[in-house]
Amino acid sequence: MQFHMNGFHDGDPLVQVPASGRQGPQGPIPPELDVLIIGSGPAGLTLAAQLSAFANIQTRIVERKPAPMLRGQADGVSCRSMEMFKAFGFADRVLKEGYWVNETTFWGPNPDNQDEIARIGRVQDVADDLSEMPHLILNQARIHDMYLDYMRNSASKLEVDYGLELVNLKVDPDGGEYPVTVTLERLGFVHDRKHVTVKVKYVIGCDGARSPVRNAIGRELNGDRQGQAWGVMDILADTDFPDFRYKSVIKSANQGNILLIPREGGYVTRIYVELDKISERGASRNIGLERLVDVANNILNPYTLDVKDVGWWSVYEVGHSVADKFDDADGDDIPHVFIAGDACHTHSAKAGQGMNVSMGDTFNLGWKLISVLNGKCRPELLKSYSGERKAVAQALIDYDHKWARVMSAKTTDDEISGSQEPAFKTHFIAGGKFTAGLSVQYPASELVGEATWQHLAKGEDLGMRLHSAPVVRLADGKLVHLNDSILADTRWHLFAFAPAGDNGKGDSAMAKLCDWLQNNPQSPVVKYTPKGADPDAVLSVYGVFQQHHHALELTDMPALLKPKKGPYSIIDYEKIFCPDLKNGNDIFDMRGIDRQQGCMILVRPDQYIAHVLPLAEVEQLSAFFEGFMLAR
Amino acid sequence: MQFHMNGFHDGDPLVQVPASGRQGPQGPIPPELDVLIIGSGPAGLTLAAQLSAFANIQTRIVERKPAPMLRGQADGVSCRSMEMFKAFGFADRVLKEGYWVNETTFWGPNPDNQDEIARIGRVQDVADDLSEMPHLILNQARIHDMYLDYMRNSASKLEVDYGLELVNLKVDPDGGEYPVTVTLERLGFVHDRKHVTVKVKYVIGCDGARSPVRNAIGRELNGDRQGQAWGVMDILADTDFPDFRYKSVIKSANQGNILLIPREGGYVTRIYVELDKISERGASRNIGLERLVDVANNILNPYTLDVKDVGWWSVYEVGHSVADKFDDADGDDIPHVFIAGDACHTHSAKAGQGMNVSMGDTFNLGWKLISVLNGKCRPELLKSYSGERKAVAQALIDYDHKWARVMSAKTTDDEISGSQEPAFKTHFIAGGKFTAGLSVQYPASELVGEATWQHLAKGEDLGMRLHSAPVVRLADGKLVHLNDSILADTRWHLFAFAPAGDNGKGDSAMAKLCDWLQNNPQSPVVKYTPKGADPDAVLSVYGVFQQHHHALELTDMPALLKPKKGPYSIIDYEKIFCPDLKNGNDIFDMRGIDRQQGCMILVRPDQYIAHVLPLAEVEQLSAFFEGFMLAR
């Protein structure tokens, strides 16, 4: 992590100096806002956290509940979400505190006695080199806490306003700068301060499956609203089930199914019990905790589960549905109201996706919103959110449907005898990339280039997230990950991979590219960087070379890769990388980078790959940015 | 990390529920204390942090300065200190925030032009597998902050009392339970609340090189009080020196020497300038910042250093000295006053040892003090502190002397021409284990067994710190480190390494050992675990097997390795390990464990190896504990 650039920062470097006017308490909601977020779940907080770094944008986030959540709800954190948490600087805390899903075990009927279960297989949960991050389990409340800390530490010191519920939202297309009028009701107040009315530029409804914001803009969830019934409980238990600390998928012959998810801290386990098999559809709501424990014991036979304490439990039915559009705009209109998270998509918890896809929604929206509000990008950029994220939601619903069919199918004799791999195991393995959150691929658009030069970086797919790899930093020999440089700060990133033999000197391809980027009037660095800002404030450029780091000299490197920054004009030393040859991890091999030609990989602020280009195709690079940027 | 055992713990698991009476502010210092720590530097805080976990012990820590330190002083964090920080749970924060010393570079006179310097070598700073932790650089103030957070999060909510200076300390051998009387003066108060007098069981002087506590007990520093003069500055600078982000040892031909230490955050660098060469001895105190910068520029020629901002700087002379004894006791007396850190040893900053050895002092003392105060161990145990740590301090002084001679020797022509490796490089490499803090070896004593069976664990030296290795946890397949289990909680640890083929079942050696430990009246587990406490409260036993974790079943494991704990009597799943075969890291090979016989490795609460024993030598184990434990 980088700090001290602007002079010595005493104390915790994660705690930013408050922006002007943000030293004291946040105060009442002002009559006009740039951004109003409704709902403080994972989607709302992911967005609020991004905005909190920009104190010049007037943002508020309101929550119907009276206080932060403490327990329950989601707990799956996908590899992709962990990669995103790196950009917020708290992935390390989740790594430390969460349960690591290392292997998943599969249990089916014991062939010798089908009233009992037996382990029928196990798989490594995340394939090698799928991501630099593991799959984790941590209570959603703690993820909230980390976002709340991030906001508390930010320059704006943004806080959630609890106990405020949306009662009215109206968009006036002719409403000028603040076209959305929102009325909030303060819970527990009966006097004249009960209602707050505020005019807003952009409203984002992160307000759950029954989303009042969605209803207010007339969008609808489409799909089957009735779904499977599940019971879920977070328990402390004494048990002889040997895989109590492995994620386990358990299909009994006749007693139903369990999804067992060990939880953080070494003792708690979450058990999902499929209830369709044991009750009439719709009757599940009357099922109590005792019945859940009984069913779990029946399924786990011959093992027993002596539940000692229950932290949280719930019985619910959930369908599969997606909103028809994720914003309020029709045709060529610019959207001013967005919906995200459960407000856009509902599905089961089986694939552990809910929290992750919700955070992905607003990580897609956040940089766009900030870039438009700060005059960096055209407002039309905001139209890309609904299309990019609706496709992701639809893929999730389709996957969830498939999982449901596989889990509810009766185990065949061949599966029980072991002569055939059980379908739920093969399906689980096949879905590995999906459940890790790594199958999302945004299609070609103004924000994702055509795949003309995809062959120059075969392992870095256009529209997918940058697949990081270990690299050694030239300036200090530190082994880092390529994506460590990407923070949640709306900057674009250009990774220039050098051709074989290129050492950055003289008239090498890298030197030429860097010279063009630094000096040519058509360069996005020149065109879009505000006067007086750091040279990497809009587009941060990195060089990745093929040589061992002892074979290169910092002195020889192009000036653009040693940018002088901040009030003291001092060098940022973290832009030049070499392959990790000592450990045999050559990023050029790992990611299929063309060794003869090298290439440029342009990465969006949300870590998705926007373009792969030959090093000399600087005009294409320039043209790409013209599609959505505003010149300074 | 483990939590939730006693029921669901909402919020940050690092934040402990306050003990009874510790919910509010700490309040004034009571008239009687179990422990009084004087000084809140690294030694004082390492001790205070350990004590803070035990709210039943009345502890206070006072500091002469009016507020916590913000900048300056030490910054080197050795591998050994990082291993210790794991026990306090904040190593991850130092890893994230600190500068990683990956390689050290060496600069000498350029053979073509001796007025200029040239790079003459570089070495990996920490040899492979020396420790699981890197060597880091982080401002001492931030280390303080992490200890202060640990204390704030602890059950006792212990805080430092700032602005209190020791004015009198008297030990009365016939003083009963509280033999030490201490008078403190409150700075800034002129009225009757100016003085505080308190009666104390144990006082620890962590009060620096001029230690009033040391003076009060009549101990003296022996050695040369006059030493080399150094200038030091933490700077933000614009420079073309290419190794500005590498730790660099720079010996110019005639201008003097620099030790350049990059610092956390990517921009700040600390520069030590040796001043003996440029000024009359003793005149160094008149040297100002400008002169330091000039000298640095002269040494760095042909490179230039344009200093933009200075966070902290100092010019100092420091000698080499060790106190004659580190406590107040003579003969067979039980000590009641101890000194630690700079109060016991002064030396140069060159080897980056000061903060590390100081923390090592009180990490040695802490568990002894707590174990005696809690009635677990005989008070005689406290006598071991002075002997164990004085030898460490003496080794440091000797090493520092050697370094000083090597650095001040004129570079030879052979070294300049490259026909001979420069002495300062070979000395640096030879001292790698020492500077990493890993050469400390406590001699045989009541706390360290005889080396009779050292051949059963050739890579785990008696009296040295447990050399950790990666292992896979049987219960959840997680790749962890063997020493992750060791917290700063005064528990002892017994690692039982299984012989080849032992699977924990039936009458295997592991099963027999565990049965004896769990049930035999001579077992330290049976003898010393208080009634009602968890079975691992005093001695935590682990099994390390040779098989892949898929080849073993939790069900087959001895009950002692699946201890039931806490109010709900639920299993602790983190006691059984297998080798990390997937990555080729077999702990049995890595640490030279005898595969045929296996062995027991007994580890002290401070991570040092107390004994290596054959699995069947349970009587030796029993006898060893009798030397210092008190039966319940």
Side-chain angles (χ1 to χ4, degrees):
Chain A
M1 58 186 303
Q2 293 181 289
F3 46 96
H4 289 320
M5 182 180 80
N6 300 324
F8 289 80
H9 178 111
D10 294 329
D12 188 341
L14 292 176
V15 180
Q16 305 302 312
V17 176
S20 162
R22 301 300 176 98
Q23 292 88 348
Q26 185 170 262
I29 295 180
E32 288 177 346
L33 281 175
D34 294 320
V35 180
L36 176 63
I37 302 163
I38 318 272
S40 72
L45 289 173
T46 302
L47 185 58
Q50 291 169 82
L51 283 152
S52 72
F54 295 84
N56 67 309
I57 299 177
Q58 290 295 318
T59 304
R60 285 298 177 100
I61 170 170
V62 298
E63 166 61 49
R64 205 174 58 81
K65 299 197 192 83
M69 157 182 189
L70 290 177
R71 295 186 191 182
Q73 302 198 33
D75 57 11
V77 182
S78 71
C79 302
R80 173 65 201 132
S81 293
M82 288 299 295
E83 293 175 7
M84 183 188 75
F85 290 162
K86 281 173 75 173
F88 288 101
F90 60 71
D92 57 318
R93 290 177 65 191
V94 181
L95 285 176
K96 178 180 183 175
E97 197 172 318
Y99 168 83
W100 291 43
V101 187
N102 306 292
E103 294 176 359
T104 297
T105 72
F106 300 89
W107 292 73
N110 182 340
D112 301 328
N113 174 1
Q114 295 200 17
D115 289 341
E116 299 187 348
I117 56 168
R119 193 196 293 122
I120 54 175
R122 47 179 145 197
V123 299
Q124 184 173 315
D125 189 78
V126 177
D128 288 339
D129 194 33
L130 194 62
S131 167
E132 77 275 18
M133 282 289 166
H135 172 196
L136 286 127
I137 308 290
L138 183 61
N139 184 355
Q140 175 181 338
R142 292 295 296 147
I143 304 293
H144 290 191
D145 288 346
M146 291 176 199
Y147 277 122
L148 294 170
D149 279 351
Y150 183 92
M151 290 157 58
R152 198 173 291 124
N153 291 342
S154 73
S156 75
K157 310 293 167 198
L158 181 62
E159 292 166 39
V160 177
D161 290 297
Y162 292 97
L164 276 171
E165 186 169 12
L166 180 78
V167 287
N168 197 27
L169 180 151
K170 235 182 78 180
V171 186
D172 176 1
D174 306 319
E177 221 189 337
Y178 297 91
V180 194
T181 304
V182 172
T183 305
L184 303 165
E185 183 172 316
R186 205 181 293 275
L187 301 183
F189 273 79
V190 287
H191 303 299
D192 51 348
R193 290 183 56 215
K194 192 174 176 186
H195 287 99
V196 182
T197 296
V198 53
K199 289 185 155 291
V200 192
K201 287 183 185 164
Y202 299 103
V203 173
I204 303 90
C206 306
D207 47 352
R210 292 181 197 149
S211 174
V213 173
R214 184 187 65 225
N215 296 337
I217 58 171
R219 299 299 177 197
E220 280 179 6
L221 288 179
N222 298 319
D224 53 334
R225 304 294 294 269
Q226 287 281 316
Q228 260 174 317
W230 285 83
V232 55
M233 49 185 177
D234 291 341
I235 57 170
L236 292 169
D238 185 16
T239 181
D240 55 355
F241 178 64
D243 288 357
F244 200 57
R245 298 302 300 166
Y246 283 101
K247 177 177 167 189
S248 303
V249 188
I250 304 163
K251 270 189 83 163
S252 73
N254 301 302
Q255 301 292 333
N257 303 331
I258 277 179
L259 184 62
L260 185 152
I261 316 268
R263 282 280 294 273
E264 65 272 16
Y267 296 98
V268 174
T269 286
R270 168 167 289 190
I271 292 183
Y272 287 99
V273 185
E274 198 179 357
L275 292 179
D276 284 4
K277 294 241 171 68
I278 58 114
S279 72
E280 293 303 300
R281 184 169 285 264
S284 59
R285 283 174 199 278
N286 301 320
I287 291 172
L289 177 63
E290 266 181 58
R291 182 85 181 108
L292 275 188
V293 174
D294 281 349
V295 174
N297 268 290
N298 292 343
I299 296 170
L300 287 171
N301 184 48
Y303 305 106
T304 58
L305 186 70
D306 181 5
V307 175
K308 305 282 196 165
D309 193 21
V310 178
W312 176 78
W313 71 279
S314 177
V315 169
Y316 62 93
E317 264 178 67
V318 67
H320 306 87
S321 60
V322 180
D324 46 349
K325 196 159 186 288
F326 290 11
D327 64 37
D328 68 323
D330 295 307
D332 288 339
D333 294 350
I334 304 293
H336 288 277
V337 182
F338 304 85
I339 50 176
D342 289 352
C344 311
H345 36 77
T346 70
H347 49 89
S348 85
K350 277 188 301 295
Q353 293 302 300
M355 175 159 65
N356 298 294
V357 175
S358 297
M359 295 189 295
D361 285 346
T362 49
F363 199 54
N364 179 294
L365 180 58
W367 68 269
K368 296 174 182 174
L369 209 49
I370 296 164
S371 300
V372 168
L373 280 162
N374 279 341
K376 200 159 88 175
C377 293
R378 306 176 203 280
E380 285 75 12
L381 178 64
L382 299 174
K383 293 155 60 72
S384 64
Y385 165 70
S386 179
E388 289 194 333
R389 294 308 294 180
K390 191 182 165 184
V392 173
Q394 190 59 56
L396 168 58
I397 304 313
D398 296 346
Y399 184 84
D400 195 39
H401 262 303
K402 236 192 281 177
W403 233 144
R405 278 197 301 275
V406 170
M407 283 298 283
S408 62
K410 205 172 155 57
T411 310
T412 66
D413 289 344
D414 283 352
E415 288 174 335
I416 294 172
S417 71
S419 64
Q420 197 191 338
E421 277 280 58
F424 69 126
K425 183 180 168 193
T426 53
H427 182 77
F428 179 90
I429 297 169
K433 195 165 177 178
F434 179 88
T435 46
L438 299 172
S439 62
V440 171
Q441 184 162 29
Y442 298 133
S445 71
E446 62 179 344
L447 292 174
V448 177
E450 294 291 338
T452 318
W453 295 281
Q454 180 69 71
H455 59 278
L456 296 179
K458 289 186 182 132
E460 297 287 3
D461 294 308
L462 271 157
M464 300 187 92
R465 70 79 166 88
L466 177 73
H467 191 176
S468 189
V471 284
V472 174
R473 210 151 55 192
L474 178 64
D476 63 359
K478 188 179 183 192
L479 184 61
V480 295
H481 247 273
L482 192 65
N483 66 358
D484 287 352
S485 313
I486 306 181
L487 304 180
D489 60 3
T490 80
R491 287 198 294 174
W492 286 71
H493 302 269
L494 184 68
F495 295 92
F497 288 82
D502 192 317
N503 59 7
K505 274 199 235 186
D507 63 349
S508 69
M510 288 292 276
K512 275 192 221 158
L513 171 66
C514 289
D515 179 60
W516 183 88
L517 283 166
Q518 191 169 11
N519 300 307
N520 194 289
Q522 291 309 308
S523 154
V525 174
V526 175
K527 258 167 101 172
Y528 305 116
T529 307
K531 212 176 138 81
D534 288 334
D536 63 352
V538 172
L539 176 64
S540 179
V541 182
Y542 310 84
V544 188
F545 291 84
Q546 296 192 27
Q547 294 92 330
H548 188 283
H549 68 285
H550 289 174
L552 294 173
E553 278 294 341
L554 195 72
T555 308
D556 298 335
M557 289 291 142
L560 183 73
L561 300 181
K562 299 176 286 189
K564 296 196 177 182
K565 293 166 61 175
Y568 298 114
S569 189
I570 50 178
I571 296 173
D572 180 341
Y573 288 94
E574 307 197 356
K575 306 286 188 185
I576 309 171
F577 305 103
C578 298
D580 171 26
L581 299 177
K582 180 180 174 188
N583 299 302
N585 295 321
D586 186 331
I587 187 171
F588 284 81
D589 293 338
M590 293 174 79
R591 302 295 169 251
I593 310 292
D594 189 299
R595 288 195 173 273
Q596 284 316 305
Q597 298 187 60
C599 70
M600 292 189 268
I601 299 181
L602 179 65
V603 179
R604 302 174 7 165
D606 57 6
Q607 304 171 329
Y608 283 81
I609 297 175
H611 223 328
V612 174
L613 289 167
L615 290 176
E617 282 289 351
V618 291
E619 282 168 30
Q620 290 280 340
L621 184 71
S622 179
F624 182 80
F625 275 98
E626 272 175 21
F628 55 91
M629 295 292 282
L630 287 171
R632 297 286 164 157
Chain B
M1 59 185 302
Q2 292 182 288
F3 46 96
H4 288 321
M5 183 181 78
N6 300 324
F8 289 81
H9 178 111
D10 295 329
D12 188 341
L14 292 177
V15 181
Q16 305 301 313
V17 175
S20 163
R22 301 300 176 99
Q23 291 88 350
Q26 185 170 264
I29 295 179
E32 289 177 346
L33 280 175
D34 294 321
V35 179
L36 176 64
I37 302 163
I38 317 273
S40 72
L45 289 173
T46 301
L47 185 59
Q50 291 168 83
L51 283 152
S52 73
F54 296 84
N56 67 308
I57 299 176
Q58 290 294 320
T59 304
R60 285 298 178 99
I61 170 169
V62 299
E63 166 61 50
R64 205 175 59 80
K65 299 198 192 82
M69 157 183 190
L70 290 176
R71 295 186 190 180
Q73 302 197 32
D75 57 10
V77 182
S78 70
C79 302
R80 174 64 201 133
S81 293
M82 287 299 294
E83 294 176 5
M84 184 189 73
F85 290 162
K86 282 173 74 173
F88 287 101
F90 60 70
D92 56 318
R93 289 177 66 190
V94 181
L95 286 177
K96 178 180 182 173
E97 197 171 319
Y99 168 83
W100 291 43
V101 187
N102 307 292
E103 294 176 358
T104 296
T105 72
F106 300 88
W107 291 73
N110 183 342
D112 300 328
N113 175 1
Q114 295 200 18
D115 288 341
E116 299 187 348
I117 56 167
R119 192 196 294 123
I120 54 175
R122 46 179 145 196
V123 299
Q124 185 174 313
D125 189 79
V126 177
D128 289 339
D129 194 33
L130 196 62
S131 167
E132 76 276 19
M133 282 288 165
H135 172 197
L136 285 124
I137 308 291
L138 183 63
N139 184 354
Q140 175 180 338
R142 292 295 295 147
I143 305 292
H144 289 190
D145 288 346
M146 290 176 200
Y147 278 121
L148 294 171
D149 279 351
Y150 183 92
M151 290 157 57
R152 198 173 291 125
N153 291 341
S154 73
S156 74
K157 311 292 166 199
L158 182 63
E159 291 165 41
V160 177
D161 289 296
Y162 292 98
L164 277 171
E165 186 170 14
L166 180 78
V167 288
N168 197 27
L169 180 149
K170 235 182 77 180
V171 186
D172 177 1
D174 306 318
E177 221 187 340
Y178 297 91
V180 195
T181 303
V182 172
T183 305
L184 303 165
E185 182 170 317
R186 203 182 296 274
L187 302 182
F189 274 77
V190 286
H191 302 301
D192 50 350
R193 291 183 57 214
K194 193 175 175 185
H195 287 100
V196 182
T197 296
V198 53
K199 290 186 156 288
V200 192
K201 288 184 185 165
Y202 299 103
V203 173
I204 303 90
C206 306
D207 48 350
R210 292 183 197 146
S211 175
V213 173
R214 184 188 65 226
N215 296 337
I217 59 173
R219 299 300 177 196
E220 280 180 7
L221 287 179
N222 298 321
D224 52 335
R225 302 294 293 267
Q226 287 280 317
Q228 258 174 319
W230 285 83
V232 55
M233 49 185 176
D234 291 339
I235 56 170
L236 291 170
D238 185 16
T239 181
D240 56 356
F241 178 64
D243 288 355
F244 200 56
R245 297 301 302 164
Y246 283 100
K247 176 177 167 190
S248 303
V249 188
I250 304 164
K251 270 189 83 162
S252 74
N254 301 303
Q255 302 292 332
N257 303 332
I258 278 180
L259 183 63
L260 184 152
I261 315 268
R263 282 280 293 272
E264 64 272 16
Y267 296 98
V268 174
T269 286
R270 168 168 291 191
I271 291 183
Y272 287 98
V273 184
E274 198 179 357
L275 292 179
D276 283 4
K277 297 241 170 68
I278 58 116
S279 72
E280 292 303 300
R281 184 169 287 261
S284 60
R285 286 175 196 277
N286 302 320
I287 291 173
L289 177 63
E290 265 180 61
R291 182 85 181 108
L292 275 189
V293 174
D294 281 349
V295 174
N297 268 289
N298 293 343
I299 296 171
L300 287 172
N301 184 47
Y303 306 105
T304 58
L305 185 71
D306 181 4
V307 175
K308 305 283 196 165
D309 193 22
V310 178
W312 175 79
W313 72 278
S314 178
V315 169
Y316 62 94
E317 264 179 67
V318 68
H320 306 87
S321 60
V322 181
D324 47 349
K325 197 159 186 285
F326 290 13
D327 64 38
D328 67 324
D330 294 306
D332 288 339
D333 293 350
I334 304 293
H336 287 277
V337 181
F338 305 85
I339 50 176
D342 288 353
C344 312
H345 35 77
T346 70
H347 50 90
S348 86
K350 277 189 300 295
Q353 293 303 302
M355 176 159 64
N356 298 294
V357 175
S358 297
M359 295 189 295
D361 285 347
T362 49
F363 199 53
N364 179 294
L365 179 59
W367 68 270
K368 297 174 181 173
L369 207 49
I370 295 164
S371 300
V372 168
L373 280 162
N374 278 341
K376 201 158 87 175
C377 293
R378 306 176 203 279
E380 286 75 12
L381 177 64
L382 298 174
K383 292 157 59 73
S384 63
Y385 165 71
S386 179
E388 289 195 331
R389 294 309 295 180
K390 191 181 167 186
V392 173
Q394 191 57 56
L396 168 58
I397 304 313
D398 296 345
Y399 184 85
D400 196 39
H401 262 301
K402 235 193 282 175
W403 233 146
R405 279 197 301 274
V406 170
M407 282 299 282
S408 63
K410 205 172 154 59
T411 309
T412 66
D413 289 343
D414 283 351
E415 288 173 333
I416 293 171
S417 71
S419 65
Q420 196 192 338
E421 277 280 56
F424 68 128
K425 182 179 169 194
T426 52
H427 182 76
F428 180 90
I429 296 170
K433 194 165 177 177
F434 179 87
T435 46
L438 299 172
S439 62
V440 171
Q441 184 161 29
Y442 298 133
S445 71
E446 60 179 345
L447 293 173
V448 177
E450 294 291 339
T452 318
W453 295 281
Q454 180 70 70
H455 60 278
L456 296 179
K458 290 185 182 133
E460 297 287 3
D461 293 309
L462 270 156
M464 300 187 92
R465 70 80 165 88
L466 176 72
H467 190 178
S468 188
V471 285
V472 174
R473 211 152 54 193
L474 178 64
D476 63 359
K478 189 179 183 190
L479 184 61
V480 296
H481 247 274
L482 192 65
N483 65 359
D484 288 352
S485 312
I486 306 181
L487 304 180
D489 60 4
T490 78
R491 287 197 292 174
W492 286 72
H493 302 268
L494 184 67
F495 295 93
F497 288 81
D502 193 317
N503 59 7
K505 274 199 238 186
D507 63 348
S508 68
M510 288 290 276
K512 275 191 221 158
L513 171 66
C514 290
D515 179 60
W516 183 88
L517 284 166
Q518 191 169 11
N519 299 307
N520 193 289
Q522 291 309 309
S523 154
V525 174
V526 174
K527 256 167 101 171
Y528 304 116
T529 307
K531 212 174 138 81
D534 288 333
D536 62 353
V538 172
L539 176 63
S540 179
V541 182
Y542 310 85
V544 187
F545 291 84
Q546 297 193 27
Q547 294 93 331
H548 189 282
H549 67 285
H550 289 175
L552 294 173
E553 278 295 339
L554 195 71
T555 308
D556 298 335
M557 289 291 143
L560 183 74
L561 299 180
K562 299 177 286 190
K564 295 196 178 183
K565 293 167 59 175
Y568 300 114
S569 188
I570 51 179
I571 296 173
D572 180 341
Y573 288 94
E574 307 196 355
K575 305 288 189 185
I576 309 170
F577 305 104
C578 298
D580 171 25
L581 300 178
K582 180 181 173 185
N583 299 303
N585 295 322
D586 187 331
I587 187 170
F588 285 81
D589 292 339
M590 294 174 79
R591 302 296 168 250
I593 310 292
D594 188 298
R595 289 193 173 274
Q596 284 316 305
Q597 298 187 59
C599 70
M600 292 189 270
I601 299 181
L602 179 66
V603 179
R604 301 175 6 165
D606 56 6
Q607 304 171 329
Y608 283 80
I609 296 175
H611 223 328
V612 174
L613 288 166
L615 291 176
E617 282 290 351
V618 292
E619 280 167 32
Q620 291 279 338
L621 184 71
S622 180
F624 182 80
F625 275 98
E626 271 174 22
F628 54 90
M629 295 291 283
L630 287 171
R632 297 285 166 159

